[in-house]
Amino acid sequence: MKSLVIVIGLAIVGFFAWQQFGGQSDDGMSRQRPAAPVTVVEVESRSFRDRIPALGTLQAWESVDITAPVAQRITGLNFEDGQIVEKGQTLATLRQESEQASMRELSARLADARREVERLADLARKNQVAQTDLDSATTEVEVLGHQISELEARIADLTIVAPFSGVLGLREVSEGALVSFGQRLTTLDDVSRMRLQFTVPARYLGVLQPGMSIIARSAAFKEDFVGTLSAVGSRVDPVARAITARAVVPNEEGLLRAGLLMEIEVTGDSNTVLMVPEESIQSRAARHFVWKVDGEQALRSEVKIGARIPGWVVILDGVSEGERIVQDGVIRLSGNAMPVRVVQS
């Protein structure tokens, strides 16, 4: 009786196995997967501008610390905090009474020496004086002239002027103070235009070109500031793999200040490229694929992608204009080929 039960059990198992694997026809062996519903879109050319995001710091077009050239007492300050000054305008005067007195003495001696030269020259024409006397008087005039030039340079060091037009910073000394060599009196910045320095990944090196437009934004202001890329660094940072670039931003209204952090967008020239919707891309590690629709079948095809903008991806290689690819439904596709049912184009 036990043997009969075993035989019946084996027969049942064999029947179900035959139904599952052996009872199908050749068509059943190659049963197709059900068609996946998808929407498709045609690959088309679109106008595109390269847009490179970055962060940068503003620098004044010209910037300098106004310092004391010698250790001396301040006898005059001719500026206020934040004042706009012109090139050559006197900012501060250091004590120079001794130098001014020496200048008056040398000027008087020079005038007397010139009169003596004129007198001796008149006598020399009449052969009433030796030529050597005239030459000695002429040399004296030249020596006094050199001494005066030297003294003028010393007085110039004691008179501090603006090296260029710009905006002064805060005054850091008072009149009558004794300043030391190199002590800062104030700062001077030319902010009529600004330098905007920033770094971008080295992969954009082939895109960056002087003359490209940039848009700069700051949380301090509502408006955008438009500038021009002026230069690209000659070296790539071997650690950060980034390159430094510099742009010029006009600042006629004087809103921008040195040291301000700016969000930057570099825009290149407009060109025509192939673009596909972002959801059409299926990525596997560093490889990217799209599904091309041919009739009722979708075939997976590897592509090379470029820049991205919200919702779209530039395709550099792998598809042609006019080809139909899957837009929605990529998540339902696997393998290298699958039957699909287009529900919307």
Side-chain angles (χ1 to χ4, degrees), residues 68 70-74 94 173-181 183:
V70 296
Q72 190 53 272
R73 191 173 303 278
I74 297 177
L94 304 182
V173 293
S174 299
E175 187 171 337
L178 178 62
V179 294
S180 58
F181 170 74
Q183 182 175 342

Side-chain angles (χ1 to χ4, degrees), residues 1 3 40 43 49 65 71 77 94 129 168-169 176 200 211 219 265 320 328 330:
M1 188 65 180
S3 298
V40 299
V43 178
R49 289 178 182 267
D65 288 344
L77 287 174
L94 304 182
V129 68
L168 294 173
V200 296
E265 185 179 88
S320 301
D328 293 326
V330 171

Side-chain angles (χ1 to χ4, degrees), residues 23-133:
Q24 294 182 347
S25 64
D26 290 341
D27 291 339
M29 290 291 290
S30 58
R31 181 193 299 172
Q32 292 185 353
R33 301 162 68 180
V38 297
T39 65
V40 299
V41 64
E42 284 191 1
V43 178
E44 60 181 12
S45 298
R46 289 173 173 262
S47 179
F48 174 77
R49 289 178 182 267
D50 286 310
R51 300 179 186 274
I52 306 171
L55 288 176
T57 302
L58 283 174
Q59 301 173 348
W61 184 253
E62 300 290 352
S63 183
V64 68
D65 288 344
I66 304 298
T67 60
V70 296
Q72 190 53 272
R73 191 173 303 278
I74 297 177
T75 58
L77 287 174
N78 306 316
F79 67 91
E80 297 296 334
D81 298 341
Q83 181 178 337
I84 298 175
V85 296
E86 299 296 328
K87 180 178 180 179
Q89 183 174 332
T90 300
L91 303 179
T93 305
L94 304 182
R95 186 174 182 179
Q96 50 189 257
E97 289 86 350
S98 176
E99 288 76 9
Q100 292 291 354
S102 298
M103 175 64 74
R104 290 191 293 271
E105 178 187 354
L106 289 176
S107 297
R109 289 174 57 188
L110 178 61
D112 184 62
R114 285 173 175 169
R115 288 193 296 269
E116 180 66 11
V117 168
E118 293 175 0
R119 186 182 70 82
L120 292 176
D122 184 59
L123 294 175
R125 285 192 294 269
K126 299 176 182 179
N127 293 322
Q128 296 179 355
V129 68
Q131 184 64 36
T132 54
D133 293 338

Side-chain angles (χ1 to χ4, degrees), residues 167-290:
V167 180
L168 294 173
L170 301 178
R171 194 179 72 179
E172 300 183 17
V173 293
S174 299
E175 187 171 337
L178 178 62
V179 294
S180 58
F181 170 74
Q183 182 175 342
R184 187 168 68 180
L185 310 184
T186 186
T187 59
L188 177 63
D189 295 313
D190 179 4
V191 294
S192 59
R193 49 182 171 168
M194 306 294 289
R195 303 181 197 270
L196 180 54
Q197 190 159 306
F198 57 96
T199 57
V200 296
R203 67 176 180 271
Y204 292 117
L205 185 57
V207 178
L208 292 175
Q209 296 294 334
M212 296 175 67
S213 296
I214 68 107
I215 298 175
R217 305 179 180 90
S218 171
F221 306 103
K222 295 181 179 179
E223 65 267 36
D224 295 342
F225 299 88
V226 179
T228 305
L229 187 66
S230 60
V232 179
S234 60
R235 297 181 180 181
V236 175
D237 188 326
V239 177
R241 301 300 177 189
I243 191 165
T244 301
R246 180 176 289 172
V248 179
V249 181
N251 189 33
E252 292 87 354
E253 297 181 4
L255 298 176
L256 301 176
R257 292 289 187 272
L260 192 63
L261 179 68
M262 305 292 288
E263 295 179 6
I264 304 163
E265 185 179 88
V266 184
T267 57
D269 295 332
S270 178
N271 51 67
T272 302
V273 296
L274 294 178
M275 303 186 74
V276 301
E278 199 169 25
E279 57 267 29
S280 296
I281 301 295
Q282 191 176 60
S283 299
R284 295 289 185 272
R287 302 174 68 187
H288 308 278
F289 305 89
V290 297

